[in-house]
């Protein structure tokens, strides 16, 4: 189920906000301040500084930690992850912090504040070398600016909901204030383009080389995902065609 990410233009985002307002109840019910605030947020989403993105990522990671069952450092999962990432601290200017989410989901993610979370489902399916490739890949999305774009899109989507809330439409207002489309979830499950995935793969190969990790962990992890979920996609929804990507990665490590 490969779904490519399409980053909307500012015109498209502005149109979403405008439509949300126009589809509302009577004009006299408009909350102009809220609608104007939404427009400000739309502009802001495209101009977020790295510091702001980092701060937003930190808040999002706190939210995710509360929503998930975090494995204790002394647990089997906690000890294994600690062994896998031993020696990893400051990675290319990113101060990393690691935790395991106890979930059958085969997934992992990284955020701009250095948050790296690995799901126990991934640890159950992969070897240490394969997990290191996945971690490098997720860090690559951060360092290459892919997650910043995901945050911009999530922030803009939130702005569109604000416009709907300001329109006087009770249903839209309810949706805009609910946990539906939670900001942290949007970031964690952001979907990336094929080129972004390839670039993150290349970053991960360099990551493995820098730390003298087994390079075969990269194609092995991708082929395992293909075997588990098919070459069309996996539970790692933002990572399409793992089998095809394994072929490209093998060329990078030769």
């Amino acid at each position: 189920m490969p779904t490519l990410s399409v980053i909307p233009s500012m015109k498209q985002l502005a149109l979403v906000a405008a439509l949300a307002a126009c589809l509302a109840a009577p004009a006299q019910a408009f909350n102009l301040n809220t609608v104007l605030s939404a427009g400000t947020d739309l502009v802001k989403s495209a101009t977020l500084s790295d510091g702001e993105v980092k701060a937003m990522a930190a808040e999002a990671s706190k939210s995710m930690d509360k929503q998930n069952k975090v494995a204790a450092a002394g647990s089997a999962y906690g000890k294994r992850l600690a062994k896998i990432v031993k020696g990893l601290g400051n990675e290319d200017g990113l101060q990393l912090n690691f935790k395991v989410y106890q979930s059958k989901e085969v997934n992992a993610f990284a955020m701009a504040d250095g948050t790296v979370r690995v799901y126990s489902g991934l640890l159950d399916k992969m070897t240490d070398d394969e997990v290191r490739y996945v971690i490098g890949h997720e860090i690559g999305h951060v360092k290459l600016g892919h997650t910043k774009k995901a945050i911009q899109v999530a922030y803009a989507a939130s702005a569109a909901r604000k416009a709907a809330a300001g329109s006087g439409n009770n249903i839209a207002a309810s949706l805009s204030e609910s946990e539906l489309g939670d900001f942290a979830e949007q970031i964690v499950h952001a979907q990336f383009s094929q080129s972004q995935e390839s670039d993150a793969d290349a970053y991960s190969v360099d990551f493995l080389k820098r730390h003298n990790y087994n390079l075969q962990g990269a194609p092995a992890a991708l082929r395992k995902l293909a075997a588990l979920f098919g070459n069309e996609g996996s539970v790692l929804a933002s990572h399409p065609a793992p089998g095809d990507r394994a072929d490209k990665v093998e060329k990078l490590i030769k």
Side-chain angles (χ1 to χ4, degrees):
M1 52 179 183
T3 304
L4 300 184
S5 170
V6 179
I7 306 301
S9 68
M10 287 306 299
K11 288 183 179 179
Q12 290 172 318
L13 293 174
L15 180 59
V16 171
L19 287 174
C22 292
L23 293 173
Q28 62 266 28
F30 280 9
N31 181 331
L32 184 59
N33 287 334
T34 303
V35 174
L36 290 176
S37 174
T40 300
D41 285 348
L42 286 167
V43 174
K44 183 65 173 175
S45 69
T47 58
L48 289 172
S49 69
D50 288 342
E52 288 170 325
V53 168
K54 184 176 180 180
M56 293 169 77
E59 291 304 311
S61 67
K62 289 178 184 178
S63 175
M64 288 298 295
D65 285 353
K66 290 178 181 178
Q67 293 174 27
N68 289 274
K69 183 178 180 180
V70 179
S75 68
Y77 284 123
K79 289 179 179 178
R80 184 180 168 206
L81 182 61
K83 177 172 72 78
I84 290 172
V85 302
K86 184 177 181 180
L88 290 179
N90 188 302
E91 174 61 29
D92 197 14
L94 195 65
Q95 193 64 40
L96 304 175
N97 68 90
F98 299 90
K99 289 181 182 178
V100 176
Y101 286 168
Q102 293 189 199
S103 167
K104 292 182 179 180
E105 185 176 350
V106 180
N107 207 350
F109 66 87
M111 289 188 177
D113 65 326
T115 289
V116 179
R117 300 293 181 263
V118 179
Y119 291 69
S120 60
L122 183 76
L123 292 173
D124 289 338
K125 298 293 184 181
M126 294 195 172
T127 67
D128 291 359
D129 289 329
E130 292 164 353
V131 172
R132 290 185 180 109
Y133 150 75
V134 173
I135 289 173
H137 180 94
E138 297 306 323
I139 292 173
H141 279 309
V142 173
K143 296 303 297 182
L144 296 172
H146 304 161
T147 55
K148 180 177 181 178
K149 290 181 180 178
I151 286 178
Q152 289 173 327
V153 170
Y155 193 77
S158 174
R161 289 196 298 274
K162 275 189 183 180
S167 69
N169 185 321
N170 290 333
I171 297 176
S174 175
L175 288 173
S176 68
E177 298 298 329
S178 73
E179 292 300 314
L180 191 63
D182 178 81
F183 179 73
E185 286 288 343
Q186 290 185 57
I187 300 172
V188 172
H189 293 102
Q191 297 188 1
F192 302 109
S193 69
Q194 291 282 7
S195 63
Q196 287 175 323
E197 293 295 352
S198 294
D199 290 344
D201 283 340
Y203 183 97
S204 187
V205 169
D206 288 339
F207 167 85
L208 296 176
K209 289 179 179 178
R210 286 198 304 274
H211 295 284
N212 296 315
Y213 293 145
N214 185 354
L215 299 182
Q216 293 301 324
L222 289 166
R223 294 199 188 286
K224 185 168 287 185
L225 287 173
L228 288 169
F229 307 108
N231 197 42
E232 292 304 313
S234 73
V235 177
L236 287 165
S238 62
H239 301 58
D244 294 342
R245 287 167 48 212
D247 294 337
K248 294 179 181 179
V249 164
E250 284 190 328
K251 294 178 181 178
L252 292 176
I253 65 178
K254 288 181 178 179

